[in-house]
Amino acid sequence: MSPKSRAALEVWKFGGASLADAASVNRVVAMLRAHQGPLVVVVSALAGVTDLLLDGARRSVAGELEAGTRNAAAYLRMHRRLVENLVPRGAARRRLLLMVDATAREYRDLTRAVASLGDLPARASDLVVSRGERVSCAIVAAVLHAARRPAQAVDAMDIVATDGKHGGAAPELAESQRRARRLLLPLLRRGVTPVVPGFIGRGPDGSLSTLGRGGTDLTATLLARCLGSRHVVLWKDVPGILTADPRTVPDARLIPQLHHREAAEVAHYGAKVLHPRSLIPLAESRIVLDVRSFLHPERPGTEVSARRTLERYPVKALATISGQALVTVAGKGMLGVPGIAARTFAAVHAEGLSVSTIFQASSESSIGFTLNEVEAPRAVAALRRTFREELATGFIDDVTSRSGLAVVAVVGEGMAGTPGIAARVFNALAQGGVNVIAIAQGSSERNISFVVTAEQAGEAARRVHAAFQLSKIGGGRPPEVAHTDVVLLGFGKVGRALADQLAARNGTSSVRVVGLLDRSGYVFDPRGLSRRRLLRLAQGKDSGALVAELGGRRADAAEALTFVASHAVSRPVLVDVTAEETGDLLRSALDHGFDLVLANKKPLAGSTESHDRLLAAAAASGRRIRYEATVGAGLPIIDTYQKLVETGDRVLRIDGCVSGTLGFVLSAVGAGRAFSEAVVEAMGRGYTEPDPREDLSGQDAARKGLILARLMGYRGAPPAAENLVAPALRRVPLAQFLKRMSSMDADWKSRVERAAARGRVLRYVVTATAFAVRASLAEVDAQSPIGSLTGTRNLVSFTSRRYRNEPLVVTGPGAGVAVTAAGILNDIQYLAAT
Ligand code: ADP
Ligand code: ASP
Ligand code: MG
């Protein structure tokens, strides 16, 4: 390379994920410092900030007035902490802190204003979110400057001229070019690195307009075009452009090179990795765009350019747009009538709506298109107005819309020259039982798109991905070392034991803990939390502190999860070790691409509907749920059930003792201890919930029974459990209960003696079949396997076709922190290995 070309101007864009915290900003600055030639740097808002700002504004409009204040506080905290960590004391730091304070205040005031307006017009929304990019730009410029690479923040409002369409403006090339050259070239000549906020520009009326979500990509390509740069790098937390969204297609692979036009189609059809219009400035140019991993800057990523490679792959990538509606104009009378299509699209265009794909039935008796489902009613109304006469005369039968759909696009330059592509696509879909609602072949023959229901979109993508062997592209290597990244939801005793077991194997195992969340906040490091850090956190938790007080970020769990998911963690697994109603959160984790491991019973043991919704969400997103530790801690109970079924057996009934706590108490009472004493001892040994009545009420055992019954297909209501607490003591405060518990001793004593006289003992037994679940106290033969259980041991027996006369029995310790953690670890290992 000649010295001249080495010094060619490049535009580097850093996405939100690469600006998550002080460590990542430091990494960005180190990369910039190490680069020799001239650079223009374009930055997004910090990870999660755009969502945070929009969320506060939307909630305020919806009447949740404190949301704006709360999110303003979160914004303030995040940015203040970053500035304090990164910028040395002095004037620059003071200026930045003032800016952070002022923008947070403005934001809070804006949310109040839109709340009183009762509406969030696109113009206001643009104003609300714009501060995310502006403040991150100021911070990066200051840190870079302090690190002795001369840098200056330049406002994008002074550079990017747009058509002014709020919420999704298009840049005006000629005007932007004039401004970019005037403002940026003099800085570059002086050796100063301009840092520009992405995503925003100025409309013809002078107001701020954003370029639509993900718009920083477009700012970067636009600036490259304007400044005559030949090279744009988008630094992301994915290794590059993958053959499909890794969150829906787990074996998606890195595409080493794509043509501009292919990348443009992938982006247009909703692959979140690139803004839909980000390739427009590069059309017909020789600019090379690289999408690279800022976590692995030594790797080449994906090159998007005018070259053609990978010709063995007619299909290179898939993309999915969800939340779509299909609007159809239909009528026999349309056949052969010119102008219907033109009038249809003119009407839609006049409404300012944008269509994602056009579908025409081969009979020509209908024409259809997809668009964002929120906009479908407006499109239908506009078309009904346009075709008023044709509808009245019956020339057109009807204008209809169907929502809840997704468009899947299959993209590749080589498709044009390869026969039979469409047939291969549709065979693969048919084999997967995917029902295709409409089909469009792009006129370029560079893509085939089809419409399916949102529920089938994931399966459709996986089927087509497999049919074209896309997991072999680029040599078929997984894009990263295939780590399994574990995020712990809850950091109680079990969570800590698990973290410790995982961290102990750090370095020797592909499983690592990258994040943990409790009700106060979260900590996250995409490279894995070190054992030392986990240990410190565990010690802090032991002494009663919350994650947010131990150096974590303050956030609610949903917010935290969105943040973590905004990083492309590898094969992520969320482990629920809480005892809360986490159903909504778990479904959102599935949407974000997490597999789930549960020790928490509640999400599976609520209403049939909530149980079904969780499993359906997993099926729709192609994710897996494991929950061995919900029943029998580390014992292989669900595993045994599944092995029986997989080998062709049918389980008719499962019963046994599944509560280690009740087992401990009842066997102690049977051996002559007072009931109250046995409960106190169980508490002391950590076998009970903080309030032992949760166990004594049978609730916990009943939940386990319900989970087992549902495995067998049980659809009925959760069972009523037999409560072992005397009615008078059920509702009193815990302290009262403990004081008065001995009032139950005499009764228990006589029950035990009555049973003993008949050679029997008391056990708390759960019975589950496909039709019923029971959780109750039973008298069993003292010599029977259940009768001879001691301590916290569980025993579960499976009666099946094969094991009808002599049930298959699994028995062992069924409670305790270490064994529960081991059960969870087993599930995680299973997910990591398959
Ligand atoms: P940035 O931080 O630069 O804005 P994005 O978060 O917008 O980056 O883009 C990366 C995300 O895009 C990843 O989290 C990934 O899940 C998603 N994605 C969807 N489709 C693809 C694909 N085909 N290749 C790579 N990433 C994809
Ligand atoms: N921060 C904006 C968004 O989240 C723009 C971007 O990241 O490209 O959509
Ligand atoms: Mg983006």
Side-chain angles (χ1 to χ4, degrees):
M1 222 189 264
S2 73
K4 186 160 173 287
S5 66
R6 212 182 308 132
L9 173 66
E10 298 189 9
V11 178
W12 283 12
K13 175 242 162 167
F14 290 94
S18 36
L19 303 168
D21 50 21
S24 47
V25 175
N26 273 330
R27 192 146 6 119
V28 165
V29 167
M31 283 164 62
L32 292 169
R33 284 194 57 192
H35 183 81
Q36 298 291 325
L39 282 175
V40 171
V41 175
V42 183
V43 294
S44 298
L46 309 189
V49 165
T50 307
D51 286 332
L52 179 83
L53 295 171
L54 283 174
D55 167 81
R58 289 194 185 124
R59 284 174 194 249
S60 301
V61 169
E64 200 185 314
L65 292 179
E66 56 308 346
T69 312
R70 197 172 56 227
N71 289 11
Y75 167 97
L76 184 69
R77 252 189 330 261
M78 268 166 87
H79 289 92
R80 277 197 81 100
R81 169 164 324 155
L82 199 64
V83 170
E84 281 160 2
N85 275 325
L86 289 172
V87 185
R89 277 178 208 286
R93 185 201 276 202
R94 277 197 301 279
R95 261 199 312 279
L96 282 173
L97 289 176
L98 283 175
M99 176 181 187
V100 169
D101 288 348
T103 50
R105 219 173 316 114
E106 270 167 40
Y107 170 70
R108 192 200 53 204
D109 295 346
L110 269 171
T111 59
R112 289 189 183 154
V114 290
S116 62
L117 214 64
D119 187 22
L120 185 62
R123 173 192 274 268
S125 164
D126 278 357
L127 207 58
V128 163
V129 291
S130 62
R131 68 209 62 246
E133 265 67 15
R134 290 174 129 176
V135 87
S136 75
C137 167
I139 295 173
V140 171
V143 180
L144 199 54
H145 204 80
R148 289 199 288 282
R149 177 161 180 137
Q152 187 174 318
V154 183
D155 194 349
M157 287 282 278
D158 299 333
I159 303 176
V160 180
T162 75
D163 63 3
K165 188 173 170 246
H166 291 288
E172 306 276 2
L173 180 63
E175 183 55 28
S176 304
Q177 181 156 38
R178 256 193 305 282
R179 298 182 190 176
R181 288 178 176 252
R182 194 175 63 229
L183 278 173
L184 303 182
L185 291 181
L187 291 176
L188 288 163
R189 271 196 289 272
R190 294 206 321 264
V192 175
T193 300
V195 184
V196 183
F199 183 47
I200 55 181
R202 192 195 295 273
D205 65 354
S207 68
L208 185 147
S209 48
T210 63
L211 309 179
R213 293 306 304 269
T216 304
D217 296 334
L218 176 54
T219 307
T221 54
L222 175 75
L223 290 183
R225 176 73 181 244
C226 289
L227 298 171
S229 158
R230 286 284 183 79
H231 197 174
V232 193
V233 185
L234 307 181
W235 294 101
K236 306 218 172 210
D237 67 344
V238 270
I241 301 177
L242 306 180
T243 48
D245 189 335
R247 292 169 298 185
T248 30
V249 182
D251 57 355
R253 293 291 183 265
L254 177 67
I255 310 172
Q257 194 267 339
L258 273 178
H259 192 275
H260 286 155
R261 283 193 296 263
E262 291 171 318
E265 303 240 4
V266 168
H268 171 78
Y269 283 102
K272 188 196 166 226
V273 64
L274 291 173
H275 178 276
R277 286 173 283 125
S278 55
L279 274 304
I280 293 177
L282 306 191
E284 310 303 321
S285 80
R286 289 172 54 197
I287 304 173
V288 172
L289 168 83
D290 286 331
V291 180
R292 297 176 61 179
S293 163
F294 96 105
L295 292 169
H296 297 286
E298 73 288 356
R299 299 189 190 165
T302 300
E303 173 193 303
V304 177
S305 61
R307 293 200 295 145
R308 281 167 209 277
T309 60
L310 298 169
E311 294 186 272
R312 287 197 302 116
Y313 291 91
V315 167
K316 296 209 189 89
L318 309 176
T320 304
I321 321 184
S322 43
Q324 298 287 291
L326 178 64
V327 175
T328 312
V329 181
K332 304 254 175 330
M334 286 166 62
L335 196 76
V337 177
I340 298 273
R343 284 170 62 202
T344 299
F345 295 110
V348 175
H349 184 74
E351 268 304 296
L353 300 175
S354 88
V355 161
S356 46
T357 310
I358 297 169
F359 296 88
Q360 173 134 31
S362 51
S363 66
E364 281 188 46
S365 63
S366 79
I367 174 161
F369 58 86
T370 47
L371 82 177
N372 188 327
E373 62 191 3
V374 178
E375 292 172 336
R378 267 171 67 207
V380 170
L383 290 169
R384 292 215 170 116
R385 276 196 306 278
T386 302
F387 293 122
R388 201 176 320 125
E389 281 177 22
E390 287 82 352
L391 283 163
T393 58
F395 205 63
I396 287 178
D397 291 340
D398 205 358
V399 180
T400 53
S401 92
R402 173 171 176 190
S403 48
L405 304 177
V407 178
V408 180
V410 180
V411 175
E413 282 275 309
M415 284 166 62
T418 317
I421 298 282
R424 272 165 77 185
V425 170
F426 297 112
N427 273 339
L429 294 174
Q431 272 169 23
V434 176
N435 178 32
V436 177
I437 297 164
I439 301 164
Q441 174 133 18
S443 53
S444 65
E445 290 191 51
R446 223 172 284 124
N447 93 61
I448 294 173
S449 319
F450 55 89
V451 180
V452 292
T453 60
E455 293 77 44
Q456 290 203 306
E459 186 60 20
R462 291 186 288 278
R463 291 281 170 172
V464 176
H465 197 265
F468 289 93
Q469 302 203 319
L470 294 185
S471 61
K472 302 218 166 87
I473 225 167
R477 279 180 308 280
E480 304 272 327
V481 190
H483 277 290
T484 296
D485 287 345
V486 172
V487 175
L488 294 179
L489 180 61
F491 201 45
K493 287 204 179 76
V494 174
R496 277 172 266 164
L498 178 67
D500 201 48
Q501 294 189 14
L502 283 169
R505 297 150 7 117
N506 259 357
T508 58
S509 156
S510 64
V511 179
R512 56 192 186 179
V513 182
V514 295
L516 60 92
L517 280 56
D518 74 2
R519 72 195 134 85
S520 70
Y522 66 96
V523 291
F524 175 67
D525 186 335
R527 291 158 302 172
L529 296 164
S530 70
R531 185 161 195 209
R532 264 190 45 220
R533 178 128 184 240
L534 284 168
L535 203 66
R536 269 206 314 275
L537 285 160
Q539 281 162 351
K541 286 286 280 195
D542 281 334
S543 64
L546 292 168
V547 165
E549 296 150 8
L550 297 168
R553 275 209 212 177
R554 202 168 282 285
D556 67 27
E559 220 180 288
L561 197 66
T562 308
F563 175 86
V564 172
S566 74
H567 288 69
V569 279
S570 155
R571 303 175 59 115
V573 177
L574 184 73
V575 179
D576 183 351
V577 278
T578 68
E580 318 279 321
E581 296 292 353
T582 48
D584 291 342
L585 196 67
L586 296 180
R587 272 183 284 120
S588 115
L590 291 167
D591 279 347
H592 284 307
F594 283 84
D595 288 325
L596 301 180
V597 172
L598 274 63
N600 179 11
K601 294 174 268 297
K602 289 201 175 137
L604 294 167
S607 66
T608 312
E609 193 222 342
S610 67
H611 166 269
D612 290 356
R613 247 191 302 159
L614 185 63
L615 297 196
S621 55
R623 295 292 142 179
R624 299 168 296 171
I625 306 187
R626 312 267 308 171
Y627 47 96
E628 185 65 87
T630 57
V631 183
L635 295 180
I637 291 173
I638 292 172
D639 192 50
T640 302
Y641 172 84
Q642 274 156 352
K643 294 244 163 71
L644 289 172
V645 172
E646 274 162 28
T647 54
D649 199 355
R650 203 164 117 220
V651 178
L652 306 169
R653 148 192 180 134
I654 305 177
D655 48 10
C657 292
V658 289
S659 166
T661 317
L662 293 181
F664 180 85
V665 171
L666 291 174
S667 64
V669 171
R673 303 280 302 280
F675 179 79
S676 57
E677 255 181 61
V679 172
V680 169
E681 181 172 353
M683 288 176 73
R685 291 181 176 230
Y687 295 156
T688 66
E689 299 294 321
D691 185 336
R693 285 172 295 182
E694 296 236 346
D695 301 290
L696 297 173
S697 67
Q699 270 308 317
D700 192 64
R703 286 197 183 104
K704 294 175 183 168
L706 181 59
I707 290 173
L708 293 174
R710 282 178 171 161
L711 275 177
M712 290 184 273
Y714 174 74
R715 312 273 311 151
E722 181 172 349
N723 196 330
L724 302 190
V725 181
L729 300 183
R730 288 182 192 165
R731 297 197 186 287
V732 300
L734 177 59
Q736 275 272 334
F737 167 74
L738 295 175
K739 214 164 7 159
R740 291 168 52 193
M741 191 167 43
S742 55
S743 65
M744 293 159 64
D745 290 350
D747 184 40
W748 277 104
K749 186 161 184 279
S750 67
R751 271 158 106 171
V752 166
E753 283 169 1
R754 274 199 310 274
R758 290 191 291 271
R760 300 171 85 83
V761 291
L762 297 176
R763 290 290 178 263
Y764 202 86
V765 178
V766 164
T767 307
T769 70
F771 311 103
V773 195
R774 239 188 20 246
S776 54
L777 193 65
E779 270 187 22
V780 300
D781 192 330
Q783 305 306 319
S784 69
I786 288 186
S788 37
L789 287 176
T790 55
T792 62
R793 292 180 79 79
N794 278 192
L795 181 147
V796 174
S797 70
F798 298 84
T799 309
S800 70
R801 285 223 181 111
R802 237 180 255 154
Y803 297 90
R804 195 190 277 273
N805 298 327
E806 198 186 331
L808 176 68
V809 170
V810 177
T811 184
V817 169
V819 286
T820 305
I824 298 171
L825 194 58
N826 205 24
D827 277 347
I828 297 174
Q829 284 300 351
Y830 173 88
L831 292 174
T834 52

